[in-house]
Amino acid sequence: GQNIDQPTEMTATEGAIVQINCTYQTSGFNGLFWYQQHAGEAPTFLSYNVLDGLEEKGRFSSFLSRSKGYSYLLLKELQMKDSASYLCAVKDSNYQLIWGAGTKLIIKP
Amino acid sequence: DAGVTQSPTHLIKTRGQQVTLRCSPKSGHDTVSWYQQALGQGPQFIFQYYEEEERQRGNFPDRFSGHQFPNYSSELNVNALLLGDSALYLCASSFVGEEKLFFGSGTQLSVL
């Protein structure tokens, strides 16, 4: 079967750095996505990785290792508004998105 | 520029009834995907429409059907509702070949 694993919940302090990990086992790989979802709202796109390495975009960075089936999302200089769920999703060999259950990130002052 | 809009925002139905959810994609987008998201879970892919045809389908029964209109808007129909159909239904639009999805705020369906 296809599986995407992420921690259920993480807590971090305002101004700090947090890394949210995602491991995947899918039938094929055509890219990995990170989305942010605030409670009661729609998911919003954060990043897309299809090649190994680090993609940096402002305070957010995403890393991919295809050989290890592993990705992480790195959030720097955390702000209270970063409190949200972070969803990892992989596009499989059929170009369908397989989603993880999401990591709820709690930011404390 | 309006983003993805969905209606209604909330809906309450009873078992056995039928429901229709609607979605208007972001301006310039031609592809619409529908997802079901249970509380505390990630979205589950239902199906995708492009050029008024169902292009891909996830692991959902035939009770779930859809349609795309010439103006790219879309409907999701669910027949013979079950309690387990209670979820947030998300519509996402994109331009064909583009990886980034834009999501609507969803329709919260409760089946009693």
Side-chain angles (χ1 to χ4, degrees):
Chain A
Q2 308 206 87
N3 198 46
I4 300 198
D5 287 318
Q6 322 178 217
T8 303
E9 187 174 296
M10 298 182 70
T11 302
T13 305
E14 190 177 16
I17 300 173
V18 71
Q19 177 175 311
I20 302 174
N21 295 325
C22 170
T23 57
Y24 63 89
Q25 291 178 305
T26 55
S27 56
F29 178 85
N30 284 295
L32 185 142
F33 300 78
W34 286 96
Y35 280 79
Q36 179 191 59
Q37 187 175 28
H38 285 98
E41 298 183 12
T44 55
F45 173 85
L46 289 177
S47 68
Y48 168 62
N49 294 69
V50 66
L51 300 176
D52 290 353
L54 186 68
E55 295 277 344
E56 297 185 82
K57 192 185 297 184
R59 295 189 299 115
F60 292 6
S61 303
S62 57
F63 172 83
L64 174 66
S65 169
R66 289 172 295 171
S67 62
K68 295 182 180 178
Y70 168 71
S71 173
Y72 67 72
L73 180 69
L74 191 72
L75 291 74
K76 303 176 185 176
E77 300 168 16
L78 286 170
Q79 301 175 10
M80 298 303 293
K81 68 178 182 179
D82 297 329
S83 292
S85 285
Y86 291 85
L87 298 161
C88 174
V90 172
K91 189 165 282 190
D92 68 9
S93 57
N94 293 320
Y95 292 89
Q96 287 188 17
L97 273 178
I98 310 300
W99 296 78
T103 298
K104 182 178 180 181
L105 178 63
I106 299 169
I107 309 297
K108 295 186 175 180
Chain B
D1 174 26
V4 181
T5 58
Q6 292 186 242
S7 63
T9 53
H10 295 84
L11 204 51
I12 298 175
K13 292 285 188 179
T14 55
R15 279 180 298 174
Q17 285 190 311
Q18 178 265 342
V19 68
T20 298
L21 310 181
R22 295 176 177 82
C23 171
S24 291
K26 181 178 169 62
S27 178
H29 285 182
D30 55 10
T31 302
V32 173
S33 302
W34 286 93
Y35 291 86
Q36 180 194 68
Q37 186 176 25
L39 192 63
Q41 299 297 314
Q44 298 286 318
F45 174 71
I46 303 174
F47 41 55
Q48 182 185 75
Y49 278 85
Y50 171 67
E51 291 189 340
E52 303 178 52
E53 298 274 338
E54 183 183 289
R55 195 162 75 156
Q56 283 193 323
R57 188 179 183 91
N59 189 25
F60 278 79
D62 293 344
R63 298 187 296 110
F64 290 77
S65 63
H67 189 78
Q68 185 179 35
F69 300 94
N71 66 354
Y72 307 116
S73 67
S74 177
E75 287 182 351
L76 164 65
N77 300 291
V78 187
N79 293 323
L81 284 167
L82 304 173
L83 296 179
D85 295 332
S86 295
L88 179 68
Y89 288 84
L90 293 165
C91 170
S93 74
S94 61
F95 184 74
V96 66
E98 185 180 273
E99 297 295 343
K100 184 176 174 180
L101 294 178
F102 289 79
F103 283 86
S105 296
T107 294
Q108 185 66 54
L109 173 65
S110 298
V111 182
L112 306 178

